[in-house]
Amino acid sequence: MASSSTPKYNSNSLESSSSKRTLKDGTNWEQNEEIPRLPGETRVTDKDVIYMCPFNGPVKGRVYITNYRLYLRSVENDPVVVLNVPLGVISRIEKMGGASSRGENSYGLDITCKDMRNLRFALKQEGHSRRDIFEVLTKYAFPQSHNLLFFAFLNEEKFSENGWMVYNPMSEYRRQGLPNERWRVTFINEHYGLCDTYPSLLVVPYNATDDDLKKVAAFRSRNRIPVLSWIHPETQAVIMRCSQPLVGMSGKRNKDDERYLDIIREANGQISKLTIYDARPNVNAVANKATGGGYEGEDAYPNAELFFLDIHNIHVMRESLKKLKDIVYPNVEESHWLSSLESTHWLEHIKLVLTGAIQVADKVSSGRSSVLVHCSDGWDRTAQLTSLAMLMLDSYYRTIEGFEVLVQKEWISFGHKFASRIGHGDKNHADADRSPIFLQFIDCVWQMSKQFPTAFEFNEQFLITILDHLYSCRFGTFLYNSESLREKEKVTEKTLSLWSLINSEKSKYTNPFYTKELNRALYPVASMRHLELWVNYYIRWNPRIRQQQPNPVEQRYMELLALRDDYMRRLEELQITNNSKISNSSTSSASPSQMMSQVQTHF
Amino acid sequence: EIHIREPTEKEVNPHLLPGELLLCEASMVYKYIQEDGSNRGTYGKLVCTNFKIAFLDDSASDDNEPQFKNKIVGENDITLQCVDQIYGVYDEKKKLLTGQLRKYPEKLIIYCKDLRVFQFCLRYTKEEEVKRIVSGIVHHSQTPKLLKRLFLFSYASAAPNNIDGRNQTVMFDTLEDWRDELERTKGNVKYKAVTTNEGYKVSEKLPLYFVVPICISEESILKYDHSFLQIWCWSCHNGAALLKMSAFPKEQDDSTSQTQKAFLDGICKTISKPPYELLKMDDLSSSLPSLQDIQTAYTRFKQLFLIDNCTDFWATDVKWFSLLESTNWLEIIRRVLKKAIEVAECLERQHTNVLLIEESATDLCCVISSLVQVMMDSYSRTKSGFQSLIQKEWVIGGHGFLDRCNHLHKSEKEEAPVFLLLLNCVWQLVQQYPPAFEFTETYLTVLSDSLYVPIFSTFFFNSQHQKDTNTSGESLKTQSGPFRFLTVWDWSVQFDPKAQAFLNNPLYAEKPRPDKSQRKSMRFKHQRQLSLPLTQTKSSTKRGFFREETDHLIKNILGKRIGKLINSSDEPPNSFREFYDSWHSKPVDYHGLLLPRINGPDIKVWAQRYLRWIPEAQLHGGGTIATAAKILDLMEQVQSLQVKMDEEHSQAI
């Protein structure tokens, strides 16, 4: 057993305020600290267990379960081993071994988490000791299956910033210069009458009436009509999103839809064809005809050019992530790491998503052509493509607040089915609707930030925090499948926004290397040569793999920034002193060279 | 379809260095720009000199001077030693060009050792000129050469160099340098520098001066086969030393082997007893991949980066990881790093001397001993310390640069990228622990490029003896007398100060200097902080990766192959794992021991070196250089503030 014992920095923990020093495998090694509790969090039960740490062996401890988290403290280890896991990350709870199982520590619970790890606890075999803990965990980890509220509705935390104020669709469209003479805002969906998975406020061509929209809705899967996501400030070319047309086996046509697409094409005075990106592989698009869907055929849409982007469906992505977990948890595949990684296809999917987004962005920017993006329903791959293309084209989305707006807009308001994809509070771990689509998006963003280390205002920790709270159910941000449902559940009134947490402590999530650049299109290189596995996320629980946290280069750069600011301040002081001719040199205590040696920086 | 830019009448002349002669040239050569696989490009003149092949762009303007520029080798210059392979294209078919040509190609593709790819279209060039330039280029860059015909000598005689290029780099060509090194590492208690080899009396393979255990007398060095000599590389703060020895000759007649045995036995016994530490041996030829394996792996690996067009680039992209794995290059890097950790563990934790054994002791011995020092001695992580290390272990240590790089095209069998392997391993450490190094990855990249620039003597001799005998100038009819060669460590030869800034790491966590005037004393000081808290004072000899006890080993060493006796570390023993894990569980001390992480995801491709010339892989406005530029900017700000403050201070007084 490794004698790892000294606490090490870790900014990757799920918890922020309560546990400052978390060890690499998500275990904290602290002494004499109270069990952390959020306002509104209540204790449910506790029990002596053995935590079967996959890296450091069995750890005797006491587990505390609240309505929000599972917290474990070791009793014998020095320093103390701590595990701090929000119940929201739990995907599945299994009993291992039976009352008669032999072997040490063979009886207990195996908990599969959504964040790339498993937790195993061994319990005493006598007296059905795991029954109550199993029941309590099941109940609070899966509140939706037990008619309980998400913790987000009980959370009484207070933040200085209100994250719900971050996104206002009207001001976001205004920022883009909308409405204008060619694009208008419509309230047709105010009560979600047109489309129950779309936001209430939509931007559509000025020349299309609300009546037209209703007719188009009939021909688009789940009434998800083409609406504007983004407009290029110079070319006026737009990114439109929608779902597949309901062509079906018989090859149905719809004059209104055809006309509507033409109106879109003409809206920026474009003569060339409208570009349609169908995110799916060609064969899948064809297969969708069998269930009433399909794609825009050449005959029906002579003024459109259709491209398939070959991005696979949610099931393929789910299986790919499963394979990835197999090679990184608990142990990293040793001998053939690269070919194992390749065989998961995870990075290949990332590459395809990025390639698709680059095509969309390039068409709008260099090609000066409006594009229409859809997949089947237009809430998974479509959201990935539009949001990534927007991130490439609009530097605003590369700021902390801008990115929050982007997520809020393209994902949350346009009905990415977070509840189904993540399975918040739901016990059906094998539900076929679950899929890591949003994780894949964040991974793409990480790849971009890795390739362009100065282009993003946010750092890696920001992305990890978003992913952690995608599962935690501590905030209302990602709960439910659509805006209409969120409105019904009064999410903004009854829960807190994740952006409240982040924006109240912005410096923690800020990239020191960020250089503000306006209107610079940013095209990542979607080549395997530059794509990397996001080790700090996917393999963060493994103490042998994790990289140094915090990033030493970042940290030293920040020291240097502080030094510069200090110099500037002191120089100003000196100048004032000199100017007023009071040559009292004793005001400054340290000489510059002394200052330099303090930060130990070489020149 | 070809988009042709009108050739201009402007006369362009190559920029020639002192001693550089224009050998042949051809005009109306069309150089393709590989941006998009289209046939876009520019017209110009292709020339070949005794130093380089150069393309002179007719329409070139001086406006687009890059920020980072080499003064000796321009963007369109290829030194003759940098040429890897030349292909001719005949009717769309590629054919390797090596010697005499019967037919002349319409297109020339030059693959460079620094991974650039040049494509020249000769269709618009006069036939006569095509013949001359193609055969000239092939002859001067691909056929065997005499050492004295290297540009190095023309340059040295034409440009007498009076610059003292030593900077702070210790050259290890004097006895004092070795004594200082012994003193610096506190190795002088048990080891001594000897002058026995003055005039190369003992061996032409050994340097003029070297260090051996004190117990070895100078007479015995003369008396016995020098390959048995245990040569000192470095001493650890705890007194344990890293030593090297050439492998034993396989066939020996009995009488010699008996005396040899007795001699060796005596030395080994002496130096494994107090005051010496226990001695453990590691036969690198059995515990590491062979030079042939390394050469094969690198040849496959580099092929992945020598890309003709963007179709090839994207075609190989999907299978990239498995292609990479199949070259085995990264795995070799991993194994070498692992071996270095094992040796560090013996020295640091087990307090044992480690004797590296390899035939000639000038290849993998150099890699491992250099890596161990980079990991254990923070002085080797400074720029001058690293350069001194390369001098000590490689240049003076007798690595056969000339043969391993095949600079003279004498024999491909001898070729192996051993020094590149070291740089690749050091790069892994640099990218894992940037603040621990005074130099940057850019430094390593330009150092690797300098392997092929024959104006520096550093990488153009096989040994100190070879250099010395060729420096005197006796055999040459010129009266210029002894040559004074440049050393690569004088970076001002290749780069102006602005470009040199990219070689230094502004975020280097330099140790605070107590007093700047006492440089020498500071050098010793860093030793103290090297130590890692020890878990046990003295581990049993049964543990560790060298299981055999020394005595036992000595008994068997002659006559049998030692490789079998020394464990080849297929399974990492527990002590290694424990050492590795325990170190990684603690915060990093940038001035202390530094162990690389060697799990699969930790070993990466040195993107700057290998991807920099591929247009498809360019990150415009991004990449690590974006951060580096930011840091340099901030550094400049801080420095100018400092100057202003000093001014204000002086005003105030």
Side-chain angles (χ1 to χ4, degrees):
Chain A
M1 191 182 126
S3 57
S4 60
S5 53
T6 323
K8 205 169 178 184
Y9 286 113
N10 177 347
S11 44
N12 281 5
S13 71
L14 270 161
E15 278 318 305
S16 43
S17 48
S18 51
S19 55
K20 296 149 295 188
R21 299 180 305 172
T22 309
L23 236 208
K24 291 170 159 188
D25 62 338
T27 50
N28 288 355
W29 309 67
E30 289 162 281
Q31 283 164 355
N32 308 322
E33 198 174 334
E34 281 300 299
I35 289 134
R37 224 177 310 167
L38 296 171
E41 184 177 353
T42 52
R43 212 151 123 174
V44 182
T45 186
D46 52 61
K47 192 161 202 80
D48 285 331
V49 297
I50 292 163
Y51 165 48
M52 308 293 288
C53 175
F55 311 109
N56 296 320
V59 174
K60 253 189 195 172
R62 192 162 186 86
V63 68
Y64 301 84
I65 293 164
T66 72
N67 55 350
Y68 172 63
R69 80 183 91 208
L70 178 159
Y71 188 86
L72 174 120
R73 273 173 78 86
S74 67
V75 287
E76 283 169 0
N77 297 55
D78 181 41
V80 178
V81 178
V82 168
L83 204 58
N84 190 350
V85 188
L87 298 177
V89 308
I90 294 176
S91 164
R92 177 183 196 181
I93 307 166
E94 283 171 287
K95 293 175 180 169
M96 57 173 192
S100 56
S101 291
R102 283 164 188 224
E104 215 183 339
N105 302 330
S106 61
Y107 175 85
L109 298 175
D110 188 355
I111 299 173
T112 308
C113 298
K114 295 168 181 173
D115 60 357
M116 305 291 285
R117 61 176 156 166
N118 279 47
L119 303 170
R120 297 187 90 168
F121 298 106
L123 289 114
K124 287 195 199 95
Q125 248 151 322
E126 57 266 19
H128 303 290
S129 63
R130 70 180 167 195
R131 190 191 288 155
D132 52 331
I133 189 168
F134 177 81
E135 273 163 16
V136 163
L137 268 178
T138 306
K139 189 170 153 194
Y140 288 97
F142 310 124
Q144 285 297 86
S145 310
H146 294 86
N147 288 320
L148 289 174
L149 289 173
F150 288 117
F151 176 73
F153 288 91
L154 308 165
N155 188 357
E156 290 164 16
E157 283 176 275
K158 299 273 181 286
F159 294 103
S160 56
E161 298 287 323
N162 181 0
W164 294 126
M165 306 295 281
V166 165
Y167 178 60
N168 175 316
M170 204 56 219
S171 30
E172 164 56 15
Y173 288 121
R174 257 193 227 117
R175 188 192 65 85
Q176 293 190 25
L178 299 167
N180 60 22
E181 66 277 15
R182 293 169 191 274
W183 297 93
R184 67 185 181 94
V185 170
T186 173
F187 296 95
I188 188 176
N189 203 34
E190 195 174 358
H191 302 292
Y192 309 101
L194 179 79
C195 172
D196 62 354
T197 56
Y198 261 8
S200 57
L201 201 141
L202 301 168
V203 174
V204 295
Y206 191 86
N207 291 336
T209 64
D210 280 1
D211 237 25
D212 293 337
L213 301 179
K214 279 180 196 156
K215 289 177 194 156
V216 173
F219 192 61
R220 290 279 163 178
S221 175
R222 298 172 200 271
N223 299 350
R224 294 172 67 95
I225 59 166
V227 295
L228 181 143
S229 275
W230 190 78
I231 183 162
H232 195 288
E234 281 139 37
T235 68
Q236 297 291 302
V238 297
I239 298 176
M240 306 288 290
R241 62 180 292 170
C242 60
S243 61
Q244 62 182 341
L246 299 175
V247 177
M249 292 297 270
S250 57
K252 276 196 292 274
R253 287 180 60 164
N254 181 303
K255 282 281 163 224
D256 299 293
D257 192 76
E258 291 161 21
R259 210 187 110 237
Y260 184 66
L261 261 53
D262 235 21
I263 295 173
I264 292 169
R265 182 178 65 88
E266 286 160 358
N268 69 333
Q270 188 178 322
I271 313 140
S272 60
K273 290 184 175 182
L274 175 74
T275 312
I276 302 174
Y277 287 108
D278 188 325
R280 301 165 293 185
N282 195 340
V283 278
N284 296 30
V286 173
N288 258 285
K289 287 187 175 177
T291 49
Y295 53 90
E296 293 83 355
E298 235 176 293
D299 298 342
Y301 301 87
N303 288 330
E305 254 184 313
L306 179 74
F307 298 98
F308 294 102
L309 295 178
D310 284 323
I311 302 169
H312 285 277
N313 63 26
I314 60 166
H315 312 293
V316 175
M317 303 309 179
R318 183 180 56 238
E319 292 315 306
S320 175
L321 185 67
K322 210 176 262 173
K323 280 188 202 151
L324 181 63
K325 186 177 173 182
D326 286 343
I327 67 159
V328 301
Y329 191 88
N331 295 310
V332 175
E333 169 68 40
E334 270 274 341
S335 49
H336 296 284
W337 164 250
L338 288 170
S339 51
S340 308
L341 181 62
E342 186 173 283
S343 69
T344 69
H345 298 289
W346 182 254
L347 287 176
E348 197 184 321
H349 296 312
I350 298 280
K351 172 188 153 127
L352 283 170
V353 172
L354 279 172
T355 306
I358 291 167
Q359 278 177 264
V360 172
D362 189 55
K363 199 67 173 178
V364 172
S365 176
S366 322
R368 310 174 83 85
S369 162
S370 289
V371 300
L372 182 72
V373 182
H374 70 72
C375 46
S376 298
D377 288 315
W379 50 43
D380 293 311
R381 289 167 276 198
T382 301
Q384 287 178 332
L385 290 169
T386 57
S387 56
L388 285 170
M390 288 157 76
L391 197 63
M392 291 169 197
L393 294 171
D394 192 336
S395 58
Y396 168 68
Y397 298 123
R398 306 198 282 261
T399 64
I400 289 181
E401 210 176 286
F403 190 77
E404 293 167 358
V405 166
L406 183 69
V407 169
Q408 206 68 52
K409 178 179 184 298
E410 288 303 296
W411 290 85
I412 297 169
S413 86
F414 273 97
H416 172 68
K417 302 203 294 174
F418 281 104
S420 309
R421 296 291 175 256
I422 307 303
H424 289 134
D426 177 57
K427 68 174 195 293
N428 302 312
H429 62 88
D431 191 333
D433 253 356
R434 293 197 187 176
S435 187
I437 300 301
F438 187 73
L439 165 65
Q440 200 173 44
F441 160 69
I442 295 289
D443 194 331
C444 290
V445 176
W446 179 81
Q447 302 285 352
M448 283 180 70
S449 72
K450 186 95 193 152
Q451 292 188 10
F452 298 97
T454 62
F456 293 83
E457 192 194 8
F458 47 84
N459 59 14
E460 181 177 58
Q461 190 51 38
F462 175 76
L463 298 176
I464 292 176
T465 305
I466 290 175
L467 289 177
D468 281 343
H469 293 295
L470 173 65
Y471 308 121
S472 77
C473 299
R474 175 168 151 196
F475 301 99
T477 306
F478 297 116
L479 297 180
Y480 305 106
N481 280 336
S482 66
E483 195 176 286
S484 65
L485 283 170
R486 253 168 249 126
E487 215 160 272
K488 200 179 124 218
E489 300 293 339
K490 299 191 168 64
V491 167
T492 52
E493 291 158 52
K494 293 182 174 172
T495 74
L496 292 163
S497 161
L498 166 60
W499 319 128
S500 304
L501 171 88
I502 286 172
N503 295 355
S504 303
E505 239 188 315
K506 244 182 176 167
S507 63
K508 204 174 145 184
Y509 305 101
T510 305
N511 168 20
F513 295 111
Y514 174 57
T515 315
K516 197 170 180 172
E517 271 186 294
L518 289 173
N519 301 324
R520 180 172 157 241
L522 202 67
Y523 296 116
V525 175
S527 156
M528 288 304 187
R529 278 119 167 139
H530 279 301
L531 298 183
E532 268 182 59
L533 184 73
W534 188 7
V535 168
N536 279 359
Y537 181 75
Y538 297 108
I539 324 186
R540 61 177 157 159
W541 311 120
N542 189 326
R544 295 201 177 117
I545 299 289
R546 271 275 317 291
Q547 288 171 21
Q548 303 158 69
Q549 292 293 339
N551 177 322
V553 174
E554 222 172 280
Q555 205 183 20
R556 297 191 57 78
Y557 185 74
M558 276 156 68
E559 283 170 13
L560 206 60
L561 278 173
L563 181 73
R564 182 198 60 186
D565 295 346
D566 186 67
Y567 274 16
M568 277 166 40
R569 184 183 51 77
R570 275 142 50 78
L571 186 64
E572 217 167 284
E573 279 173 16
L574 268 171
Q575 280 164 340
I576 292 165
T577 325
N578 278 354
N579 288 347
S580 58
K581 308 222 168 177
I582 307 162
S583 49
N584 189 351
S585 55
S586 64
T587 42
S588 64
S589 48
S591 79
S593 51
Q594 279 171 306
M595 281 299 297
M596 297 308 286
S597 60
Q598 278 169 21
V599 286
Q600 297 182 10
T601 303
H602 170 74
F603 287 90
Chain B
E1 199 197 349
I2 296 178
H3 305 274
I4 294 166
R5 252 202 250 166
E6 281 304 306
T8 50
E9 287 302 304
K10 200 177 76 184
E11 186 60 29
V12 273
N13 288 310
H15 168 75
L16 297 178
L17 292 174
E20 187 175 359
L21 300 168
L22 185 66
L23 300 173
C24 48
E25 60 181 314
S27 16
M28 285 292 282
V29 173
Y30 188 75
K31 175 177 163 277
Y32 294 106
I33 299 168
Q34 307 168 274
E35 250 163 33
D36 42 11
S38 76
N39 288 324
R40 290 193 307 122
T42 53
Y43 275 103
K45 203 193 265 179
L46 189 60
V47 305
C48 180
T49 73
N50 56 343
F51 171 59
K52 64 176 183 255
I53 299 161
F55 177 77
L56 312 163
D57 195 334
D58 288 346
S59 52
S61 59
D62 301 328
D63 306 342
N64 285 327
E65 284 278 280
Q67 202 183 0
F68 190 82
K69 186 179 143 250
N70 192 309
K71 294 197 283 185
I72 302 294
V73 187
E75 207 186 345
N76 289 324
D77 296 343
I78 313 158
T79 66
L80 298 176
Q81 281 67 36
C82 189
V83 175
D84 191 8
Q85 288 185 315
I86 302 178
Y87 278 85
V89 179
Y90 303 83
D91 302 323
E92 309 282 301
K93 272 180 214 137
K94 273 166 74 178
K95 198 179 155 249
L96 185 68
L97 306 182
T98 46
Q100 283 289 311
L101 304 175
R102 253 180 265 137
K103 219 177 130 203
Y104 290 90
E106 62 232 36
K107 203 171 135 190
L108 204 59
I109 307 179
I110 302 180
Y111 296 102
C112 302
K113 290 188 174 171
D114 62 5
L115 301 144
R116 287 179 296 170
V117 179
F118 287 90
Q119 306 197 34
F120 298 110
C121 174
L122 305 170
R123 218 176 292 164
Y124 315 100
T125 315
K126 285 191 203 121
E127 208 187 317
E128 270 311 296
E129 292 187 357
V130 171
K131 280 185 186 170
R132 246 180 290 145
I133 195 76
V134 175
S135 49
I137 287 176
V138 172
H139 175 76
H140 293 293
S141 70
Q142 300 292 284
T143 56
K145 228 189 191 105
L146 290 171
L147 175 62
K148 279 286 165 78
R149 300 294 296 275
L150 274 179
F151 182 65
L152 183 69
F153 294 94
S154 328
Y155 185 77
S157 53
N161 141 47
N162 295 312
I163 316 155
D164 181 26
R166 291 189 172 217
N167 319 313
Q168 289 161 16
T169 306
V170 185
M171 304 303 274
F172 288 96
D173 51 1
T174 65
L175 190 62
E176 281 63 46
D177 287 348
W178 286 101
R179 285 188 172 150
D180 288 350
E181 179 73 353
L182 273 171
E183 202 182 315
R184 184 184 77 82
T185 58
K186 295 200 179 69
N188 46 359
V189 192
K190 300 162 197 165
Y191 299 90
K192 62 176 179 194
V194 290
T195 56
T196 332
N197 204 29
E198 273 178 350
Y200 300 99
K201 287 193 297 268
V202 178
S203 164
E204 294 179 353
K205 286 178 182 165
L206 287 171
L208 218 45
Y209 308 103
F210 51 87
V211 174
V212 293
I214 275 181
C215 61
I216 299 182
S217 69
E218 305 221 351
E219 297 121 56
S220 62
I221 296 176
L222 284 165
K223 193 170 158 196
Y224 295 103
D225 185 344
H226 61 81
S227 59
F228 290 88
L229 273 178
Q230 307 194 329
I231 298 189
W232 176 89
C233 299
W234 180 73
S235 282
C236 182
H237 64 97
N238 59 19
L242 184 59
L243 306 160
K244 61 182 172 188
M245 178 170 79
S246 321
F248 306 94
K250 276 173 201 160
E251 301 283 324
Q252 281 178 326
D253 73 75
D254 275 338
S255 59
T256 2
S257 78
Q258 282 311 311
T259 47
Q260 300 282 25
K261 181 185 179 326
F263 171 61
L264 180 69
D265 219 3
I267 295 172
C268 284
K269 270 193 183 134
T270 321
I271 68 166
S272 11
K273 272 187 292 197
Y276 291 96
E277 289 72 20
L278 274 171
L279 182 75
K280 294 193 173 183
M281 304 200 187
D282 191 355
D283 181 8
L284 297 178
S285 56
S286 70
S287 64
L288 283 178
S290 69
L291 294 190
Q292 189 52 49
D293 292 343
I294 293 167
Q295 169 67 3
T296 310
Y298 186 70
T299 307
R300 284 200 214 121
F301 179 76
K302 83 177 174 202
Q303 220 54 48
L304 297 181
F305 302 93
L306 294 169
I307 288 166
D308 287 348
N309 54 50
C310 70
T311 322
D312 283 5
F313 180 87
W314 293 109
T316 51
D317 205 54
V318 180
K319 289 276 154 221
W320 178 248
F321 290 121
S322 45
L323 281 171
L324 210 52
E325 189 175 281
S326 68
T327 69
N328 209 34
W329 178 247
L330 294 183
E331 178 60 21
I332 287 174
I333 290 173
R334 207 172 82 97
R335 282 181 63 185
V336 166
L337 287 170
K338 192 170 168 195
K339 172 58 70 189
I341 299 172
E342 288 170 0
V343 173
E345 193 250 353
C346 282
L347 292 165
E348 176 78 39
R349 202 171 64 160
Q350 301 189 27
H351 293 220
T352 38
N353 293 325
V354 177
L355 176 62
L356 304 174
I357 304 169
E358 185 195 19
E359 192 188 338
S360 88
T362 53
D363 290 301
L364 293 171
C365 269
C366 301
V367 177
I368 298 299
S369 71
S370 305
L371 268 179
V372 167
Q373 291 174 64
V374 167
M375 282 156 48
M376 300 185 74
D377 186 343
S378 65
Y379 169 63
S380 301
R381 304 197 285 263
T382 64
K383 209 161 111 192
S384 56
F386 185 70
Q387 295 176 169
S388 306
L389 178 70
I390 303 301
Q391 281 294 133
K392 180 171 76 165
E393 298 297 336
W394 296 79
V395 181
I396 299 300
H399 174 68
F401 281 105
L402 215 46
D403 293 342
R404 293 292 174 249
C405 299
N406 201 12
H407 281 320
L408 302 178
H409 286 273
K410 272 197 173 146
S411 159
E412 280 183 11
K413 276 185 208 149
E414 291 293 313
E415 195 172 340
V418 186
F419 186 64
L420 273 181
L421 178 61
L422 172 79
L423 296 185
N424 274 274
C425 291
V426 173
W427 180 85
Q428 302 291 339
L429 277 156
V430 167
Q431 63 102 22
Q432 290 181 10
Y433 307 101
F437 291 84
E438 195 188 27
F439 49 86
T440 58
E441 65 163 339
T442 307
Y443 169 84
L444 294 173
T445 303
V446 300
L447 182 56
S448 75
D449 290 344
S450 305
L451 268 176
Y452 318 112
V453 183
I455 64 166
F456 309 109
S457 63
T458 315
F459 302 129
F460 283 87
F461 290 106
N462 279 331
S463 63
Q464 192 184 9
H465 170 260
Q466 192 184 30
K467 185 189 167 194
D468 283 355
T469 50
N470 284 290
T471 304
S472 57
E474 284 160 22
S475 55
L476 225 71
K477 285 177 185 96
T478 56
Q479 62 275 66
S480 56
F483 294 109
R484 296 199 64 178
F485 299 119
L486 290 176
T487 143
V488 72
W489 313 126
D490 185 358
W491 292 104
S492 67
V493 176
Q494 292 191 77
F495 303 101
D496 61 27
K498 235 189 150 78
Q500 278 186 63
F502 282 90
L503 311 185
N504 302 321
N505 175 14
L507 297 189
Y508 172 53
E510 193 182 26
K511 290 197 55 170
R513 294 180 190 179
D515 188 349
K516 278 182 186 169
S517 60
Q518 294 178 334
R519 263 201 72 80
K520 226 164 188 183
S521 65
M522 194 213 75
R523 272 210 203 155
F524 300 123
K525 263 208 145 143
H526 77 277
Q527 290 293 338
R528 233 175 273 155
Q529 302 208 354
L530 277 173
S531 90
L532 181 83
L534 294 159
T535 44
Q536 53 195 119
T537 41
K538 196 102 182 179
S539 61
S540 97
T541 50
K542 296 284 178 202
R543 301 188 63 183
F545 66 112
F546 308 99
R547 292 206 184 94
E548 269 67 32
E549 281 181 44
T550 320
D551 287 343
H552 176 59
L553 191 114
I554 300 297
K555 274 174 207 145
N556 290 284
I557 213 154
L558 295 167
K560 284 188 197 171
R561 280 197 60 90
I562 39 174
K564 299 278 186 285
L565 288 169
I566 303 166
N567 134 7
S568 60
S569 70
D570 290 330
E571 277 174 43
N574 282 335
S575 67
F576 166 80
R577 196 78 249 188
E578 212 177 291
F579 180 66
Y580 181 84
D581 283 348
S582 128
W583 187 86
H584 282 288
S585 67
K586 292 179 180 100
V588 182
D589 171 9
Y590 293 118
H591 304 293
L593 177 69
L594 213 59
L595 297 186
R597 276 182 239 96
I598 54 165
N599 289 284
D602 297 322
I603 306 296
K604 293 181 180 164
V605 173
W606 183 0
Q608 191 191 54
R609 177 172 152 83
Y610 295 105
L611 294 175
R612 65 193 152 144
W613 307 114
I614 305 175
E616 286 74 23
Q618 297 305 305
L619 297 166
H620 297 285
T624 49
I625 209 75
T627 337
K630 280 280 301 190
I631 296 167
L632 279 178
D633 263 7
L634 181 58
M635 219 52 169
E636 263 170 41
Q637 281 180 45
V638 172
Q639 277 167 323
S640 79
L641 278 169
Q642 216 183 344
V643 172
K644 276 187 200 150
M645 274 172 74
D646 286 344
E647 281 168 10
E648 292 289 336
H649 263 292
S650 56
Q651 265 183 45
I653 302 157

